[in-house]
Amino acid sequence: MHRTFMLAIAVCAWLAAGSARAQDNVLNLYSARHYQTDEALYANFTKLTGIKINRLEGREDELVERIRNEGSASPADILITVDASRLEVADKLGLFQPVKSTLLEERVPANLRTPNWYSFSTRARVIVHNKANVKRELVQNYEDLASPSLKGQVCMRSGSHPYNLSLGAALIAHDGEAKAEAWARGLVANFARAPKGGDTDQLRAVAAGECGVTVSNSYYLVRLLRSTKPADQEAVKALAVVWPNQASWGTHVNVSGAGVLKHAPHKDAAVKFLEYLASDEAQAYFANGNNEWPVVKSAVASNPELRSLGDFKRDALPMADLAKNIAAAQRAYDRAGWK
Ligand code: FE
């Protein structure tokens, strides 16, 4: 409640300042990313273009709800968020407009863009196990986590979280809906405890031996690797990472992405901003800010801990195809009892 209230105050002050007028040299950005390095990213855009950025930060669902309620009067030009499943939610609600840009088409790989939104960084959903408690050979693939040999060993966050829904959507694309549902059933049967907390909580539980294996977005692991806290350094010593499904369809990869909103008052500035995000310089900021990989091949992220994870075979499934399976993934998890 408190947070929504703060958000409302911020928007009132912003509107009172009159910054939503179309003739102004501004860009109104609704962002569900909250990384300090994003400050430098936005300041650099203003320096290059003279376009001032008004940023409204909030939770994904709050921002989407706000854009819906504002309708055609919305001052928002761009929505930036994480995970294809969330971009899909916004897209399904008709919040975006199509963007044609030769530059974006050249720089953002085809499988990481849709007609209505573009990806600007990638993250992998990796398997992390306790080195002492679970043998690496047993956890080479997502499918392995449903094997009865891992009974009582698996910790996972909620099945309705977008990260797990996107993983389910990938499993449906490659293995089919029936197999994906059977997988979820097997996974639930292997739970060491009922789902609770975020990915980092699962990593800590695996490190502490409360469970033997989990699935986590790669940047949470890199965050622990980069942490100077003794408890975190202790935790990473107990952990090992596996790139899942290297012998089959590749590791599930998700994205941070953005699209131009349907009623954007500053469409030209909005397209310019997306093109800016695809520049080598912005790519490095954008990806490094959350320990992710750039989507543009020529961009270089200076992030030794991220680089230390090495290279891997990625699932080539187009984000657009992944997004189509999100609803089916939720239904499969519901039937399998993955709360
Ligand atoms: Fe996250």
Side-chain angles (χ1 to χ4, degrees), residues 35 82 123 157 163 217 219-220 223 290:
Y35 312 122
V82 297
R123 64 274 295 281
R157 79 189 300 168
Y163 301 162
N217 279 359
Y219 55 86
Y220 291 111
R223 218 178 270 174
N290 189 33

Side-chain angles (χ1 to χ4, degrees), residues 282-302:
Q283 276 283 290
Y285 275 125
F286 194 87
N288 267 340
N290 189 33
N291 300 308
E292 295 177 79
W293 293 281
V295 296
V296 174
K297 284 202 178 73
S298 53
V300 183
S302 55

Side-chain angles (χ1 to χ4, degrees), residues 275-324:
E275 292 179 341
Y276 162 73
L277 288 184
S279 68
D280 281 8
E281 197 183 5
Q283 276 283 290
Y285 275 125
F286 194 87
N288 267 340
N290 189 33
N291 300 308
E292 295 177 79
W293 293 281
V295 296
V296 174
K297 284 202 178 73
S298 53
V300 183
S302 55
N303 188 330
E305 287 82 3
L306 180 62
R307 207 176 314 124
S308 78
L309 294 184
D311 218 351
F312 61 102
K313 176 181 165 186
R314 293 159 171 249
D315 185 3
L317 184 70
M319 284 298 131
D321 294 347
L322 180 83
K324 272 187 243 153

Side-chain angles (χ1 to χ4, degrees), residues 98-114:
V99 166
K100 269 300 253 180
S101 158
T102 313
L103 190 143
L104 287 173
E105 274 165 32
E106 277 168 15
R107 293 183 67 84
V108 180
N111 66 321
L112 300 180
R113 51 182 154 86
T114 74

Side-chain angles (χ1 to χ4, degrees), residues 65-109:
E65 200 47 39
R66 175 167 287 276
I67 295 164
R68 280 181 82 181
N69 291 336
E70 287 168 344
S72 60
S74 178
D77 294 305
I78 293 226
L79 174 68
I80 290 193
T81 187
V82 297
D83 206 277
S85 66
R86 286 176 171 141
L87 288 153
E88 165 73 1
V89 166
D91 201 10
K92 262 222 171 109
L93 290 168
L95 301 189
F96 294 127
Q97 61 172 299
V99 166
K100 269 300 253 180
S101 158
T102 313
L103 190 143
L104 287 173
E105 274 165 32
E106 277 168 15
R107 293 183 67 84
V108 180

Side-chain angles (χ1 to χ4, degrees), residues 11-88:
V11 170
C12 288
W14 174 14
L15 293 179
S19 52
R21 291 195 308 271
Q23 62 269 34
D24 294 337
N25 204 21
V26 299
L27 178 72
N28 298 328
L29 189 70
Y30 281 20
S31 170
R33 278 174 57 101
H34 323 277
Y35 312 122
Q36 270 181 359
T37 46
D38 282 3
E39 298 290 340
L41 179 74
Y42 301 140
N44 191 44
F45 175 72
T46 303
K47 206 174 89 189
L48 290 171
T49 62
I51 299 168
K52 187 176 165 267
I53 294 181
N54 294 314
R55 183 162 35 132
L56 176 70
E57 287 198 349
R59 283 202 353 245
E60 291 80 8
D61 45 349
E62 285 175 358
L63 294 177
V64 163
E65 200 47 39
R66 175 167 287 276
I67 295 164
R68 280 181 82 181
N69 291 336
E70 287 168 344
S72 60
S74 178
D77 294 305
I78 293 226
L79 174 68
I80 290 193
T81 187
V82 297
D83 206 277
S85 66
R86 286 176 171 141
L87 288 153
E88 165 73 1

